[in-house]
Amino acid sequence: MTSEWSSLVHPDRDPGPTAVHGITADDLASAPRFSDLAPRLAAELDGAVITAHNLAFDAAFLTAEWTRSGTARPRAQGLCTLTLARDLHPGRAEGYSLAACSAAAGIHQAEAHRALADARVTADLLA
């Protein structure tokens, strides 16, 4: 089954590099906290194979948030398109960022560093 779901998450801190991801403190002011979204996210991920570009980075974030919210979760199985790209194309001069890998595959990346847009590009890259 394929599905998608997206939500901003109030980080309880400064939003970080707004110039990179375009998300401002005002955008996050009324966003739910991770603990409010945890049940829905857990349901979305149950039985799924998580795919990400730099899965170690995303998995560390998820693990920290599951822990902080008091939600017990099994370690998820996953596929990492960054690892696959490095294995399939060693020494790529353009590098291995999602932007570089998607460009090399002819995939347009419209909204870089936005979760849903990056997830869609990663799915296209995996395909």
Side-chain angles (χ1 to χ4, degrees), residues 48-52 55 75-81:
V49 176
I50 297 172
T51 302
L55 180 59
R75 187 173 192 282
Q77 296 298 310
L79 293 171
C80 180
T81 56

PDB file of all heavy atoms in Angstrom, residues 48-52 55 75-81:
ATOM      1  N   ALA A  48       5.599  -0.641   7.417  1.00  0.00           N
ATOM      2  CA  ALA A  48       6.218   0.004   6.250  1.00  0.00           C
ATOM      3  C   ALA A  48       7.731  -0.189   6.257  1.00  0.00           C
ATOM      4  O   ALA A  48       8.341  -0.348   7.308  1.00  0.00           O
ATOM      5  CB  ALA A  48       5.902   1.500   6.260  1.00  0.00           C
ATOM      6  N   VAL A  49       8.302  -0.178   5.082  1.00  0.00           N
ATOM      7  CA  VAL A  49       9.747  -0.108   4.937  1.00  0.00           C
ATOM      8  C   VAL A  49      10.045   1.362   4.676  1.00  0.00           C
ATOM      9  O   VAL A  49       9.670   1.911   3.645  1.00  0.00           O
ATOM     10  CB  VAL A  49      10.262  -0.982   3.775  1.00  0.00           C
ATOM     11  CG1 VAL A  49      11.764  -0.808   3.586  1.00  0.00           C
ATOM     12  CG2 VAL A  49       9.914  -2.443   4.023  1.00  0.00           C
ATOM     13  N   ILE A  50      10.689   2.001   5.623  1.00  0.00           N
ATOM     14  CA  ILE A  50      10.977   3.430   5.504  1.00  0.00           C
ATOM     15  C   ILE A  50      12.078   3.629   4.484  1.00  0.00           C
ATOM     16  O   ILE A  50      13.101   2.941   4.503  1.00  0.00           O
ATOM     17  CB  ILE A  50      11.393   4.013   6.867  1.00  0.00           C
ATOM     18  CG1 ILE A  50      10.232   3.895   7.845  1.00  0.00           C
ATOM     19  CG2 ILE A  50      11.846   5.458   6.720  1.00  0.00           C
ATOM     20  CD1 ILE A  50      10.577   4.256   9.263  1.00  0.00           C
ATOM     21  N   THR A  51      11.859   4.556   3.579  1.00  0.00           N
ATOM     22  CA  THR A  51      12.855   4.893   2.579  1.00  0.00           C
ATOM     23  C   THR A  51      13.183   6.371   2.724  1.00  0.00           C
ATOM     24  O   THR A  51      12.285   7.198   2.835  1.00  0.00           O
ATOM     25  CB  THR A  51      12.335   4.605   1.158  1.00  0.00           C
ATOM     26  OG1 THR A  51      11.971   3.221   1.075  1.00  0.00           O
ATOM     27  CG2 THR A  51      13.390   4.916   0.110  1.00  0.00           C
ATOM     28  N   ALA A  52      14.459   6.684   2.749  1.00  0.00           N
ATOM     29  CA  ALA A  52      14.891   8.070   2.902  1.00  0.00           C
ATOM     30  C   ALA A  52      16.226   8.251   2.207  1.00  0.00           C
ATOM     31  O   ALA A  52      16.943   7.289   1.944  1.00  0.00           O
ATOM     32  CB  ALA A  52      15.028   8.419   4.385  1.00  0.00           C
ATOM     33  N   LEU A  55      19.071   7.942   5.400  1.00  0.00           N
ATOM     34  CA  LEU A  55      18.203   7.314   6.390  1.00  0.00           C
ATOM     35  C   LEU A  55      18.757   7.428   7.801  1.00  0.00           C
ATOM     36  O   LEU A  55      17.994   7.639   8.747  1.00  0.00           O
ATOM     37  CB  LEU A  55      17.966   5.845   6.035  1.00  0.00           C
ATOM     38  CG  LEU A  55      17.065   5.051   6.977  1.00  0.00           C
ATOM     39  CD1 LEU A  55      15.680   5.667   7.065  1.00  0.00           C
ATOM     40  CD2 LEU A  55      16.986   3.594   6.538  1.00  0.00           C
ATOM     41  N   ARG A  75      12.656  -0.758  16.094  1.00  0.00           N
ATOM     42  CA  ARG A  75      13.573  -0.205  15.092  1.00  0.00           C
ATOM     43  C   ARG A  75      13.018  -0.534  13.719  1.00  0.00           C
ATOM     44  O   ARG A  75      12.742  -1.686  13.399  1.00  0.00           O
ATOM     45  CB  ARG A  75      14.964  -0.822  15.257  1.00  0.00           C
ATOM     46  CG  ARG A  75      16.004  -0.189  14.370  1.00  0.00           C
ATOM     47  CD  ARG A  75      17.387  -0.752  14.718  1.00  0.00           C
ATOM     48  NE  ARG A  75      18.458  -0.020  14.112  1.00  0.00           N
ATOM     49  CZ  ARG A  75      18.836  -0.127  12.838  1.00  0.00           C
ATOM     50  NH1 ARG A  75      18.197  -0.911  12.039  1.00  0.00           N
ATOM     51  NH2 ARG A  75      19.848   0.556  12.371  1.00  0.00           N
ATOM     52  N   ALA A  76      12.828   0.473  12.920  1.00  0.00           N
ATOM     53  CA  ALA A  76      12.219   0.290  11.600  1.00  0.00           C
ATOM     54  C   ALA A  76      13.242  -0.219  10.593  1.00  0.00           C
ATOM     55  O   ALA A  76      14.414   0.141  10.647  1.00  0.00           O
ATOM     56  CB  ALA A  76      11.630   1.607  11.109  1.00  0.00           C
ATOM     57  N   GLN A  77      12.773  -1.050   9.694  1.00  0.00           N
ATOM     58  CA  GLN A  77      13.596  -1.478   8.574  1.00  0.00           C
ATOM     59  C   GLN A  77      13.552  -0.373   7.530  1.00  0.00           C
ATOM     60  O   GLN A  77      12.546   0.323   7.400  1.00  0.00           O
ATOM     61  CB  GLN A  77      13.046  -2.773   7.980  1.00  0.00           C
ATOM     62  CG  GLN A  77      13.102  -3.945   8.933  1.00  0.00           C
ATOM     63  CD  GLN A  77      14.531  -4.274   9.326  1.00  0.00           C
ATOM     64  OE1 GLN A  77      15.404  -4.413   8.476  1.00  0.00           O
ATOM     65  NE2 GLN A  77      14.777  -4.391  10.614  1.00  0.00           N
ATOM     66  N   GLY A  78      14.636  -0.198   6.796  1.00  0.00           N
ATOM     67  CA  GLY A  78      14.609   0.884   5.841  1.00  0.00           C
ATOM     68  C   GLY A  78      15.556   0.714   4.676  1.00  0.00           C
ATOM     69  O   GLY A  78      16.444  -0.143   4.685  1.00  0.00           O
ATOM     70  N   LEU A  79      15.330   1.552   3.687  1.00  0.00           N
ATOM     71  CA  LEU A  79      16.187   1.653   2.516  1.00  0.00           C
ATOM     72  C   LEU A  79      16.714   3.072   2.447  1.00  0.00           C
ATOM     73  O   LEU A  79      15.978   4.025   2.687  1.00  0.00           O
ATOM     74  CB  LEU A  79      15.399   1.359   1.237  1.00  0.00           C
ATOM     75  CG  LEU A  79      14.903  -0.059   1.049  1.00  0.00           C
ATOM     76  CD1 LEU A  79      13.958  -0.120  -0.150  1.00  0.00           C
ATOM     77  CD2 LEU A  79      16.078  -0.997   0.839  1.00  0.00           C
ATOM     78  N   CYS A  80      17.976   3.209   2.106  1.00  0.00           N
ATOM     79  CA  CYS A  80      18.599   4.528   2.024  1.00  0.00           C
ATOM     80  C   CYS A  80      19.074   4.765   0.592  1.00  0.00           C
ATOM     81  O   CYS A  80      19.995   4.080   0.120  1.00  0.00           O
ATOM     82  CB  CYS A  80      19.773   4.614   2.996  1.00  0.00           C
ATOM     83  SG  CYS A  80      20.600   6.216   2.950  1.00  0.00           S
ATOM     84  N   THR A  81      18.436   5.732  -0.071  1.00  0.00           N
ATOM     85  CA  THR A  81      18.836   6.027  -1.447  1.00  0.00           C
ATOM     86  C   THR A  81      20.223   6.662  -1.518  1.00  0.00           C
ATOM     87  O   THR A  81      20.906   6.527  -2.532  1.00  0.00           O
ATOM     88  CB  THR A  81      17.797   6.913  -2.159  1.00  0.00           C
ATOM     89  OG1 THR A  81      17.592   8.110  -1.402  1.00  0.00           O
ATOM     90  CG2 THR A  81      16.488   6.178  -2.360  1.00  0.00           C
TER      91      THR A  81
END
